Amino acid sequence: MHKLDELSTVKRSFARSDYLYRSGDKFRSLFAIHSGSFKTQILHEDGREQVTGFQMAGEIIGLDAISTDTHACDAVALESSVVCELPFNKLEALSREIPLLQRHLHKLMSREIVRDQGIMLLLGSMRAEERLAVFLLNLSQRFATRGLSATQFQLRMSRQEIGSYLGLKLETVSRAFSHFQSERLINVKVRTVEILDLAGLQACLNNTR
Amino acid sequence: MHKLDELSTVKRSFARSDYLYRSGDKFRSLFAIHSGSFKTQILHEDGREQVTGFQMAGEIIGLDAISTDTHACDAVALESSVVCELPFNKLEALSREIPLLQRHLHKLMSREIVRDQGIMLLLGSMRAEERLAVFLLNLSQRFATRGLSATQFQLRMSRQEIGSYLGLKLETVSRAFSHFQSERLINVKVRTVEILDLAGLQACLNNTR
DNA sequence: AATGCGGTTTGATATATGTCAAAAATCGTG
DNA sequence: CACGATTTTTGACATATATCAAACCGCATT
């Protein structure tokens, strides 16, 4: 497994709002986020934009570029971040030698597919507050996985970015936050979120439309 | 490349509304659609459903299952169909030997990711008629790729299934069809579609919201 | 040819979310 | 520390799509 060391060549640092890559860039590497966080977004010619994901430490970013050897979206740092470059041709070569790595890579890509389909479900069939609840619960869970608090955290993204991700306008996101607060499900002060009632948030989802 | 022959073991036939696999099924194989077409859908516990894609001949189905060794969605035949089973462990073994196959597999998965993100853009930021236009143009393009008419085809799915895919109610889909017809962009008679003005349909998309 | 049934179309109305606008809070910078 | 710029919140109103309902159609079966 120390063969993997020959992979992790470069570490690169990014400030808030720096681009890790841009749509159209030639694809060479995947990136492992070492610290910090990013958003990925698609920009449509007519100016429409869609945030397709928020990625945090430990996650791999850039899988969409394999398909055409060209990055299909932008990746932008949401805060000071460090990423580790993983040259894809080396990764492919190694994964031919190490079946476990091969399997890992496949699972990684498949997991991204499943994640995206979950968001399709969210965008296609949930209402505004349900979407926000899913979003918060997902964040909570990911923070917990990283040994951080599942109930208190800082949002790294704006209302507008959350809205773009959830297919809502920023005002709708803001109102949903306020409503959750008035229901005593969360405390929210701009970007500081405290979840008061995890089960209550989950219950939002079961109220069939 | 005839090594691939040892892969394509079994061909299986399905009638309309037969399941190719169900969510929760143990993952063993990917499936190449030989003829016919399928839909994939996620069912949420509360009864919500989301069609995540329509697949036709030549496409590979089942990539979502790699992530957890369990199928994450249902695949249902939309008409009489034949699929070719591709045992995944054999596929992985072969792709360690044949870098071209490995690359092909990676591109396949990545393409699915890009496709899904395109649908996220559609669901997150387009209006009903734009969504339907994208849907029709996509179908048209895929039929053309298969040597079929780009302008005249039969829909294999119901208004309700189209609606689920596009995040709309069936009535909204029906109205959008009718409106396109009144605009002389298409002729539609239930499931028979004729595109009269491809450019006009494309133009729907450029009208920024 | 008649019957029944699921799917589709269309209309009237309800509602969730978007839009526009202004005030308030927060953040970054000099 | 103060300033201006940005982000967030909140309100009033507009609108796209959902909902409910009825009629219609086409297909399959008898």
Side-chain angles (χ1 to χ4, degrees):
Chain A
M1 266 300 171
H2 39 271
K3 281 201 181 182
L4 277 171
D5 291 342
E6 53 188 85
L7 258 181
S8 46
T9 46
V10 210
K11 278 220 176 70
R12 281 161 59 196
S13 293
F14 293 84
R16 186 169 177 295
S17 84
D18 283 350
Y19 282 75
L20 170 54
Y21 53 76
R22 286 168 193 270
S23 177
D25 284 358
K26 169 84 179 154
F27 171 59
R28 287 196 190 74
S29 304
L30 299 178
F31 300 94
I33 302 177
H34 182 261
S35 64
S37 53
F38 289 81
K39 67 170 173 179
T40 47
Q41 60 186 5
I42 312 175
L43 297 173
H44 201 236
E45 41 266 36
D46 57 17
R48 257 186 284 249
E49 80 170 52
Q50 174 74 27
V51 171
T52 56
F54 298 110
Q55 296 81 16
M56 44 204 270
E59 298 176 337
I60 304 286
I61 193 172
L63 295 172
D64 53 275
I66 299 168
S67 115
T68 56
D69 275 321
T70 296
H71 285 282
C73 64
D74 302 326
V76 184
L78 294 174
E79 61 188 312
S80 297
S81 302
V82 177
V83 308
C84 188
E85 192 167 348
L86 309 170
F88 190 63
N89 53 9
K90 290 195 193 173
L91 201 57
E92 278 191 324
L94 262 185
S95 86
R96 286 195 295 270
E97 293 174 37
I98 311 173
L100 227 66
L101 176 62
Q102 180 195 33
R103 173 53 59 100
H104 188 72
L105 182 59
H106 292 160
K107 293 209 180 214
L108 202 67
M109 301 185 73
S110 178
R111 204 172 305 133
E112 177 68 22
I113 291 169
V114 173
R115 189 188 73 82
D116 290 350
Q117 292 180 351
I119 298 169
M120 288 169 58
L121 176 65
L122 176 148
L123 292 172
S125 70
M126 293 188 177
R127 343 227 253 80
E129 293 192 357
E130 296 177 307
R131 298 184 198 188
L132 187 64
V134 169
F135 173 73
L136 289 172
L137 289 167
N138 175 261
L139 277 188
S140 162
Q141 206 258 300
R142 285 157 78 195
F143 282 122
T145 300
R146 283 158 181 78
L148 303 169
S149 169
T151 55
Q152 254 180 305
F153 44 83
Q154 293 287 327
L155 300 175
R156 301 265 104 110
M157 65 294 283
S158 70
R159 296 291 184 264
Q160 133 74 20
E161 286 165 333
I162 296 172
S164 170
Y165 181 60
L166 299 178
L168 303 168
K169 294 293 157 181
L170 71 296
E171 295 96 328
T172 306
V173 174
S174 178
R175 282 185 236 271
F177 269 120
S178 300
H179 186 232
F180 282 162
Q181 172 146 296
S182 78
E183 299 274 282
R184 318 251 80 226
L185 294 172
I186 65 174
N187 265 331
V188 56
K189 182 91 177 292
V190 192
R191 302 214 178 176
T192 306
V193 173
E194 181 184 5
I195 299 183
L196 300 173
D197 183 357
L198 266 171
L201 269 186
Q202 254 136 6
C204 287
L205 308 182
N206 303 323
N207 304 329
T208 310
R209 167 127 53 167
Chain B
M1 265 302 172
H2 39 268
K3 279 202 182 183
L4 277 170
D5 292 343
E6 53 188 84
L7 259 180
S8 47
T9 47
V10 209
K11 277 219 175 74
R12 282 161 60 196
S13 293
F14 293 84
R16 187 170 177 295
S17 85
D18 282 350
Y19 282 75
L20 170 53
Y21 52 76
R22 284 168 193 272
S23 177
D25 284 357
K26 169 83 179 153
F27 171 61
R28 287 194 190 76
S29 304
L30 299 179
F31 300 94
I33 301 178
H34 181 261
S35 64
S37 54
F38 288 81
K39 68 170 173 178
T40 46
Q41 60 185 7
I42 313 175
L43 296 173
H44 202 236
E45 42 266 35
D46 55 19
R48 258 187 284 247
E49 82 171 49
Q50 175 75 27
V51 171
T52 56
F54 299 110
Q55 297 80 17
M56 43 204 269
E59 298 176 336
I60 303 286
I61 193 171
L63 294 172
D64 53 275
I66 299 167
S67 117
T68 57
D69 275 320
T70 295
H71 284 282
C73 62
D74 302 327
V76 184
L78 293 175
E79 61 188 311
S80 298
S81 304
V82 177
V83 307
C84 187
E85 191 167 349
L86 308 171
F88 190 64
N89 52 11
K90 290 195 194 172
L91 202 55
E92 278 191 323
L94 262 184
S95 85
R96 287 194 295 269
E97 292 174 37
I98 311 174
L100 226 65
L101 176 62
Q102 180 194 33
R103 171 55 59 101
H104 188 72
L105 182 59
H106 291 160
K107 293 208 180 215
L108 201 68
M109 300 185 74
S110 178
R111 204 172 305 135
E112 176 68 23
I113 292 170
V114 173
R115 190 189 72 82
D116 290 351
Q117 292 180 352
I119 298 169
M120 289 169 57
L121 175 66
L122 177 147
L123 292 172
S125 70
M126 293 188 178
R127 343 221 259 82
E129 295 193 357
E130 297 177 307
R131 296 184 200 188
L132 187 63
V134 169
F135 173 72
L136 289 173
L137 290 168
N138 176 261
L139 277 188
S140 164
Q141 206 259 301
R142 284 157 79 195
F143 282 123
T145 300
R146 283 158 182 79
L148 302 169
S149 169
T151 55
Q152 253 179 305
F153 45 83
Q154 294 288 329
L155 299 174
R156 301 265 104 111
M157 65 294 283
S158 70
R159 297 291 185 266
Q160 133 75 21
E161 287 164 333
I162 296 171
S164 170
Y165 180 61
L166 298 179
L168 303 168
K169 295 294 159 182
L170 70 298
E171 295 96 329
T172 305
V173 174
S174 177
R175 282 184 235 272
F177 269 120
S178 300
H179 186 231
F180 283 162
Q181 171 147 295
S182 77
E183 300 273 283
R184 318 249 81 229
L185 294 172
I186 66 173
N187 265 330
V188 56
K189 182 95 178 290
V190 192
R191 301 214 178 176
T192 306
V193 174
E194 180 185 5
I195 300 185
L196 301 174
D197 184 357
L198 267 171
L201 269 186
Q202 253 137 6
C204 286
L205 307 181
N206 304 323
N207 305 327
T208 310
R209 162 119 70 157

